[in-house]
Amino acid sequence: MSVVPYKDQETGKKTQVAQMFNSIAKRYDFLNHFLSAGIDIIWRKKAVKLLEQTKPQLLLDIATGTGDFALEAMRLKPRQIIGLDISEGMLAVGREKIKKRGLENVIELQLGDSENIQFPDNHFDAITVAFGVRNFENLEKGLSEMYRVLKPGGKAVILEFSKPQKFPMKQTYNFYFKHILPVFGKLISKDNAAYTYLPESVQAFPDGKDFLTILNKIGFKTTEWHSLTFGISSIYTGKK
């Protein structure tokens, strides 16, 4: 059974995740940077750097949220970035950020389902996802869709939380995730479930080598796993 934000509801994970992000959208950016002490910004920079050699012109950012990864990817000088997300609330915040920077002609944020991507086969030069694959209702279906719309030779870069394995980071991380983060998350976001769901979903996610195995099963080639900040986060890459 998949981990869901609102255990008292009978709706599916996808519906609940959209509801959760709509609920916390206006406070999401602040919480993201506050609860990670700004390290999430460094992680995104590292992930984007892995695409520098491929110089993608048409890029798809899945689970784009408020558009932070799409904005960071502007360093690649792409022709167009399409950001896809199931939360209209998050997209609204993202569109405001893009408008302020005058980038509407390059970055377009669209409401869409990552497990049923509304683009043809072999369409994008590169695909990015930051902290989004963990929220897929069906992980393999979402990854298969990413593979389908990626051009042959195109690269996928996936940034996701992972579980530290070594003392003392493992113990420190688990304490923070289970006892500190939910308290601050609830206090600031006003959503009781959102920051309880986060550690639960990370715990349930098949990270590290297990995730590489899934990428290989989907069909991705030359897959790699880069562990970040003592294993708190990971970047996974694969080519079609």
Side-chain angles (χ1 to χ4, degrees), residues 13-15 17-18 21 60-65 82-87 91 110-119 124 127-150 158 160 197 218 220:
K13 181 174 180 178
K14 201 176 295 183
T15 303
V17 166
F21 281 114
L60 176 65
D61 185 38
I62 286 176
T64 195
I82 303 288
L84 206 63
D85 204 279
I86 57 172
S87 165
L91 291 171
Q110 298 182 6
L111 189 67
D113 181 358
S114 52
E115 293 168 42
N116 187 21
I117 298 171
Q118 65 264 37
F119 289 99
F124 292 95
I127 296 179
T128 57
V129 196
F131 312 113
V133 292
R134 197 183 70 256
N135 298 321
F136 288 177
E137 191 162 81
N138 184 323
L139 179 60
E140 289 192 15
K141 190 178 180 198
L143 294 173
S144 295
E145 275 291 272
M146 287 167 57
Y147 186 82
R148 178 184 68 78
V149 299
L150 192 60
I158 299 164
E160 190 51 88
Y197 164 75
I218 298 300
F220 284 98

